[in-house]
């Protein structure tokens, strides 16, 4: 006659020597209960506690325990069951690590793409250039208006456009200076501007010959 109690005591001592503190598998604690006719009948088990384990994974573990118990009826099986669950949990952990690594790589790729776009800046098109030009001219007009108003309040006489031009023939660079005074940083390629000194715009010059535009009809 089989001494079930003796077999159960012997297995319990062996398992306690392997797992002196608790029957723990990674992030899951399994609880086993002997029945009277164990090992001819499978023990009772439950997932006593778990951490970071999805419900589907817990169901897979319970299914695995049932399968292993049926295959090992008649033999002491607790260690076999625990080992099977450990291997399953290792697989689950590997899948989690792979997901985390893939998520990390995805975020790195997104960060690199964002940095690349920021470095390249906005592509210049005719539309956005004209929009920028219109905004720039409005800002310049406003800056000139404020400057003229400040000069008037300071008691300086109002200058005509020609006087302003004669006083500062480098209006292209002085406009940029206005922006810099306002806290804007603008870089100018002076080679893109024609030298004002090369232009003959003096109407008092005897050689100045204006071109009259008209129709060919009498």
């Amino acid at each position: 006659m089989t001494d079930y109690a003796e077999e159960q005591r012997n297995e319990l001592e062996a398992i306690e020597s392997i797992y002196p503190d608790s029957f723990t598998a990674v992030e899951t604690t399994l609880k086993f209960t002997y029945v009277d006719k164990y090992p001819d009948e499978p023990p009772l088990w439950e997932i006593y506690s778990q951490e970071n384990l999805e419900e589907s994974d817990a169901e897979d573990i319970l299914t695995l325990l049932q399968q292993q118990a049926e295959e090992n009826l008649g033999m002491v099986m607790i260690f076999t069951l625990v080992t099977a669950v450990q291997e399953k949990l290792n697989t689950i952990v590997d899948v989690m690590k792979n997901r985390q690594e893939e998520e990390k790589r995805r975020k790195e790729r997104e960060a690199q793409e964002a940095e690349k776009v920021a470095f390249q800046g906005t592509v210049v098109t005719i539309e956005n250039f004209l929009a920028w030009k219109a905004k720039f001219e409005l800002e310049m007009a406003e800056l000139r208006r404020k400057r003229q108003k400040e000069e008037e309040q300071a008691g300086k006489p109002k200058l005509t456009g020609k006087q302003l031009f004669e006083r500062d023939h480098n209006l292209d660079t002085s406009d940029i200076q206005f922006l810099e005074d306002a806290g804007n940083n603008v870089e100018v390629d002076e080679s893109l501007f024609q030298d004002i000194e090369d232009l003959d715009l003096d109407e008092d010059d005897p050689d100045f010959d204006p071109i009259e535009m008209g129709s060919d009809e009498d």
Side-chain angles (χ1 to χ4, degrees), residues 25-61:
V26 188
E27 295 178 348
T28 301
T29 299
L30 302 176
K31 180 179 178 180
F32 295 92
T33 303
Y34 287 130
V35 297
D36 292 339
K37 293 184 178 181
Y38 173 87
D40 287 341
E41 293 181 2
L44 303 177
W45 57 73
E46 63 176 300
I47 297 178
Y48 186 73
S49 66
Q50 63 186 48
E51 185 178 352
N52 299 326
L53 193 64
E54 296 182 3
E55 183 177 350
S56 60
D57 294 327
E59 292 175 355
D60 290 343
I61 290 173

Side-chain angles (χ1 to χ4, degrees), residues 2-16:
T2 303
D3 189 347
Y4 295 113
E6 179 65 22
E7 287 195 29
Q8 294 170 14
R9 283 194 299 270
N10 292 338
E11 183 186 30
L12 186 59
E13 290 177 0
I15 292 178
E16 287 178 341

Side-chain angles (χ1 to χ4, degrees), residues 5 8 49 52 66 74 105 115 122 165 175 190 202 210 217:
Q8 294 170 14
S49 66
N52 299 326
Q66 183 64 40
R105 288 192 293 267
E115 183 178 356
T122 303
F165 183 83
D175 286 346
E190 296 184 358
D202 190 354
E217 299 179 358

Side-chain angles (χ1 to χ4, degrees), residues 159-183:
L159 300 179
T160 65
K162 183 176 180 181
Q163 289 173 328
L164 287 171
F165 183 83
E166 291 175 346
R167 186 185 68 174
D168 186 1
H169 67 278
N170 289 322
L171 283 178
D172 53 320
T173 56
S174 65
D175 286 346
I176 302 304
Q177 184 63 45
F178 296 160
L179 283 180
E180 291 178 349
D181 293 342

Side-chain angles (χ1 to χ4, degrees), residues 19 40 88 96 103-104 109 129 154-155 160 204-205 213:
Y19 306 102
D40 287 341
K88 177 64 177 178
M96 293 174 62
E103 180 67 13
K104 180 180 179 181
R109 288 194 300 268
F129 173 76
T160 65
D204 297 330
D205 191 329
M213 303 295 292

Side-chain angles (χ1 to χ4, degrees), residues 110-164:
E110 290 179 352
Q112 291 173 356
E113 289 297 326
E115 183 178 356
K116 183 178 179 181
V117 171
F119 178 79
Q120 290 178 342
T122 303
V123 177
V124 177
T125 64
I126 294 177
E127 290 77 9
N128 60 30
F129 173 76
L130 291 177
W132 171 87
K133 183 174 181 293
K135 181 181 178 182
F136 177 80
E137 290 175 346
L138 287 174
E139 292 175 350
M140 293 304 304
E142 180 65 16
L143 287 171
R144 290 193 187 95
R145 186 189 66 79
K146 290 182 178 179
R147 182 173 179 179
Q148 182 177 343
K149 184 176 181 180
E150 291 173 355
E151 290 179 349
E152 290 175 355
Q153 291 176 347
K156 295 182 180 180
K158 182 177 180 181
L159 300 179
T160 65
K162 183 176 180 181
Q163 289 173 328
L164 287 171

